[in-house]
Amino acid sequence: MTRIIACGEIDIGTAGHLYRAVLDVLRRQRPDRIEVDLARVTFLDASGVRALVMSRTAAAEVGCRLTVVEPGRMARRVLEIVGLLETFGLAAVPPPAPPGDNP
């Protein structure tokens, strides 16, 4: 298993970097699973979502499973809005509580 940690904004200017990082891992390491960690992502737009979907497709083509882990509130909400939580293995994971909330 390989984990790719994304940071900052994933938008039209940076989404290609994420996609190329996944392709590089697939080519060099040939893992059976890749986790894309979105905990440090501060912004995710349609280009970022597209990069994730394309990365998942590229991984599947070589027998690798790509999932998203630890999405922050914003990234999780974007994936929820576009209907991709389950696709990236997040449907059963509850969203993180807002800071200061006590259960």
Side-chain angles (χ1 to χ4, degrees):
M1 190 273 298
T2 299
R3 181 175 281 211
I4 295 173
I5 299 172
C7 300
E9 299 179 355
I10 304 178
D11 59 16
I12 195 163
T14 60
H17 298 295
L18 174 60
Y19 180 61
R20 284 189 295 279
V22 170
L23 293 181
D24 189 51
V25 165
L26 289 171
R27 183 174 48 84
R28 291 176 187 248
Q29 299 178 19
R30 301 198 183 276
D32 60 348
R33 191 167 128 218
I34 295 174
E35 293 180 345
V36 179
D37 185 328
L38 299 183
R40 297 181 184 149
V41 170
T42 58
F43 181 78
L44 179 67
D45 73 359
S47 300
V49 171
R50 182 173 186 263
L52 287 170
V53 170
M54 289 172 43
S55 295
R56 183 178 180 275
T57 300
E61 287 175 355
V62 295
C64 177
R65 181 171 181 250
L66 184 140
T67 58
V68 167
V69 296
E70 301 188 36
R73 291 178 58 81
M74 186 279 314
R76 182 181 180 84
R77 180 69 177 136
V78 170
L79 293 173
E80 179 182 25
I81 288 168
V82 298
L84 292 174
L85 284 179
E86 189 173 323
T87 299
F88 287 108
L90 296 169
V93 179
D101 278 5
N102 292 324

